[in-house]
Amino acid sequence: DGPAWTYTGQHGPVNWGSMFRTCAGKRQSPINIETGNVKTEFWKPFSLKNFDQPPTNMRVKNNGHSAVVEIDAPSAPRVTQGGLKGEYIFAQFHFHWGADSSMGSEHTIDGVRYPMELHMVHYKGSYGTLGNAVSKPDGLAVLGVMLEVSETDNPALTPLVSALNNITESGMFATVAASYPLRAFLPSNLERFYRYEGSLTTPTCNEVVTWTVFANAIPVSEKQMRSFRSLRNDQGGNMVNNFRPPQALNNRRVLVSGE
Ligand code: 1SD
Ligand code: ZN
């Protein structure tokens, strides 16, 4: 193991490229999405299977750089269509957020930063496991959802936010009492989204992700944001600003779904 990577200081994002070669690659994530410079594609709508089933168990872990949610479900949630080639199986979802609501998202849209971004990570079923899939160029499909501040709590986040009190330190995990189906963490409009080929946004920055960033956000209250900001990271500091800044687009095209 090399030195631990961080979001600030000597082992922060600007130096990931020298610590992990792939982080200096040409297909990195996140990016700024310029909506005036996208190409429209007409894909079949996303097909989400088992996204409406309440999980039999939901737990959240503080992995030192995010809050990661895993579930047990009667049948595995999976996604096809929406321009994806093949079937992708749900693995986990997690969040990136800011010290205050002026920042936090990884992707930006026309330079606009959201206070938080949710990533639903899926691996290609034909690769069998997430571990196998992270070495394949089409191994992962991540669905990115922006969160925007609302006056009232997002009810789907309430049980999850309560559980955050029990995972304040890195390495801790807790059960989420009442678990909502995965659909509750997605915007109601799944038809409009941006698509490009990118990477994991954390070291080792594997260039294996087909990215989807939905155009519509879901709500979160400032009170709920404060619970995320009260977590501690693997350095013992506040877990805030755990987002990587936008990377160069290089020789890539951003696509947008058309209707
Ligand atoms: O940051 C996450 C990382 O924690 C892990 O979940 C990885 C998938 O194995 O995905 C990245 S990200 O690109 O979804 N941010
Ligand atoms: Zn992420």
Side-chain angles (χ1 to χ4, degrees), residues 66 94-96 106 117-119 121 142 201-202 211:
S66 186
H94 62 267
F95 302 85
H96 303 265
E106 298 212 292
E117 183 172 337
L118 183 161
H119 289 157
V121 180
V142 183
T201 66
T202 54
W211 274 98

